[in-house]
Amino acid sequence: MSEFSQVAKDSIIANIEDIRERLSLEPLSNGNNGGEGSSTEKRTCLDIKRSERTNKIHPLNFIVFGAPGTGKTYSMVEYALAIVDGRTADFSKVDAEERKNKVDRYKQLIKEGRVVFTTFHQNYGYEEFIQGLRPDTESSTVAFKTVDGVFKQIADRALEDTSGNNYVIIIDEINRANISKVFGELITLIEEDKRWGELNEMCVTLQSGDVFAVPNNLYIVGTMNSADKSISLIDAALRRRFSFKEQLPDISLVDDPTMRSVLEKLNLKLVDELESTDLLIGHSYFMNKDKGDLCDVLNNNIIPLLYEYFYDNKKKVAAVLQDTITKAGATIELVDEKIGRLKVKLKGDADGAE
């Protein structure tokens, strides 16, 4: 069994002391110091001095946004490794072995508690993210205990680590929750100049009485689907606290020339029709495919998206598809069976594509 890291040991000890304090039990004695005054108290940010951040390659808070299939979540592995290593992110094409090595290291960082991945959804709340009350199943009576959420846990670990290590929390689909409600006090604490260790460092007192701060070695990275118009926009005050990095479709990642041409012509037509780069088609749908897969990709992945983009207007979807097929020179044709949605098939294929 592997040895706990010092950061993990400190976190476990702090949690034990916190539980004893909440249960009104006597604190544990520190075996290294005898006599009076040997009790161990829980450290807070006020007991910790951090240095100002010097490596500013990455903003402390940023959101990667883009159309479906542009690889936003896929890119999080590289962003996490780059932040931990203190280098710029490298998104050049890698083979399967290189990707596996990166993912393996990413998983090791999760085990070490230096990277956390979570996904926001409409039922996600402050209690899951910062701190909340949970039933105490070990109590003989109806009782509740304070439980730290995923953000406070990694923030506390990062705060205790003064050895120069960076920590990362990744929030997938960050715009799917009620962000103002979930973030709570973070609207103040996540600003770069108010991070613990910076010139204007600030802390808050939570409802539990805990003194809480966000250290300057914790990076908040979110992903956001720019085509998801059913989700309300991010609160303006929080939006100002994040940098935004657009993830565009990258045709260079598509090897097959027919698939690459269809993707390129399709997105150019969408930009002309919709006058927006939010509603595009990502390269992931076309990667590791050849022209023999084109009908399946269009029928099962792309056409349903086009119906969403054009609010089920069949004529507009047909116009976009026909223009794309013609300009890309693809050997497929559009099929309108009147009942049901449009689809494509290989030319001369009487049965069409499934």
Side-chain angles (χ1 to χ4, degrees):
M1 185 174 179
S2 59
E3 184 75 11
F4 284 114
S5 66
Q6 186 58 47
V7 174
K9 290 178 181 177
D10 292 343
S11 178
I12 292 169
I13 292 170
N15 286 333
I16 291 172
E17 292 299 337
D18 181 55
I19 291 169
R20 295 183 66 85
E21 180 182 339
R22 296 182 193 284
L23 293 176
S24 300
L25 299 177
E26 289 294 324
L28 291 171
S29 298
N30 186 337
N32 296 326
N33 300 308
E36 295 182 2
S38 61
S39 61
T40 302
E41 295 183 1
K42 182 183 177 183
R43 292 210 307 171
T44 71
C45 56
L46 300 172
D47 304 310
I48 299 171
K49 183 174 178 58
R50 298 191 58 85
S51 301
E52 291 189 20
R53 188 169 66 115
T54 56
N55 186 332
K56 299 185 179 182
I57 294 175
H58 300 278
L60 284 171
N61 316 309
F62 66 91
I63 293 173
V64 178
F65 72 99
T70 50
K72 299 178 291 298
T73 305
Y74 178 92
S75 70
M76 290 299 105
V77 169
E78 175 58 23
Y79 274 120
L81 296 182
I83 291 169
V84 167
D85 294 342
R87 59 173 175 80
T88 56
D90 180 8
F91 294 108
S92 56
K93 197 170 183 179
V94 297
D95 58 29
E97 185 62 26
E98 290 175 300
R99 177 65 181 178
K100 182 180 182 302
N101 290 337
K102 287 189 174 187
V103 172
D104 286 345
R105 181 158 178 249
Y106 169 82
K107 290 190 289 188
Q108 182 58 39
L109 290 169
I110 292 177
K111 288 182 180 179
E112 294 172 4
R114 293 179 62 189
V115 174
V116 167
F117 185 101
T118 189
T119 301
F120 276 5
H121 50 79
Q122 290 169 335
N123 290 326
Y124 205 101
Y126 177 92
E127 293 78 8
E128 289 81 23
F129 200 56
I130 307 296
Q131 192 179 75
L133 293 175
R134 291 289 182 269
D136 187 350
T137 58
E138 297 181 358
S139 174
S140 58
T141 61
V142 177
F144 294 86
K145 59 183 178 181
T146 302
V147 177
D148 291 341
V150 292
F151 185 87
K152 187 174 184 298
Q153 290 177 32
I154 190 172
D156 287 348
R157 286 197 298 272
L159 181 69
E160 291 279 351
D161 189 344
T162 56
S163 59
N165 292 323
N166 288 335
Y167 289 68
V168 185
I169 181 167
I170 299 166
I171 308 170
D172 202 26
E173 305 285 359
I174 192 171
N175 57 325
R176 281 194 159 270
N178 183 336
I179 300 180
S180 297
K181 182 178 179 181
V182 173
F183 271 51
E185 296 87 353
L186 295 186
I187 194 170
T188 299
L189 299 180
I190 65 173
E191 288 191 76
E192 295 205 4
D193 70 314
K194 295 180 178 62
R195 295 295 194 97
W196 202 256
E198 299 302 313
L199 179 62
N200 299 313
E201 61 186 10
M202 292 190 69
C203 60
V204 299
T205 301
L206 302 179
Q207 292 181 1
S208 63
D210 290 350
V211 178
F212 178 52
V214 180
N216 58 359
N217 62 336
L218 175 59
Y219 290 75
I220 305 171
V221 186
T223 72
M224 185 170 68
N225 187 341
S226 60
D228 196 349
K229 298 301 184 184
S230 64
I231 306 301
S232 60
L233 295 175
I234 294 178
D235 176 87
L238 276 168
R239 193 185 312 138
R240 290 193 295 271
R241 287 155 172 78
F242 282 87
S243 299
F244 288 81
K245 299 186 178 186
E246 186 175 16
Q247 190 106 335
L248 293 170
D250 186 354
I251 62 171
S252 69
L253 297 175
V254 180
D255 295 325
D256 184 86
T258 299
M259 303 293 274
R260 185 166 59 246
S261 179
V262 168
L263 175 61
E264 180 182 22
K265 301 301 187 292
L266 178 57
N267 279 328
L268 289 173
K269 182 63 175 176
L270 286 174
V271 171
D272 287 341
E273 289 291 322
L274 299 169
E275 298 183 344
S276 170
T277 57
D278 286 344
L279 304 176
L280 296 178
I281 304 297
H283 47 265
S284 67
Y285 296 111
F286 296 84
M287 291 176 64
N288 304 315
K289 304 269 195 324
D290 58 36
K291 62 182 180 180
D293 301 307
L294 181 56
C295 288
D296 284 340
V297 171
L298 290 176
N299 289 331
N300 299 328
N301 301 114
I302 307 307
I303 290 177
L305 276 176
L306 295 179
Y307 270 90
E308 287 184 25
Y309 291 177
F310 290 101
Y311 299 97
D312 291 327
N313 189 319
K314 181 185 283 190
K315 289 183 178 179
K316 290 185 177 181
V317 173
V320 168
L321 286 170
Q322 192 57 62
D323 183 82
T324 299
I325 291 169
T326 301
K327 290 181 177 178
T331 56
I332 59 176
E333 59 186 356
L334 193 60
V335 178
D336 183 0
E337 297 179 340
K338 303 303 180 183
I339 299 176
R341 289 187 168 184
L342 297 167
K343 65 179 182 178
V344 296
K345 68 173 185 177
L346 292 172
K347 286 184 177 178
D349 185 354
D351 295 329
E354 293 295 328

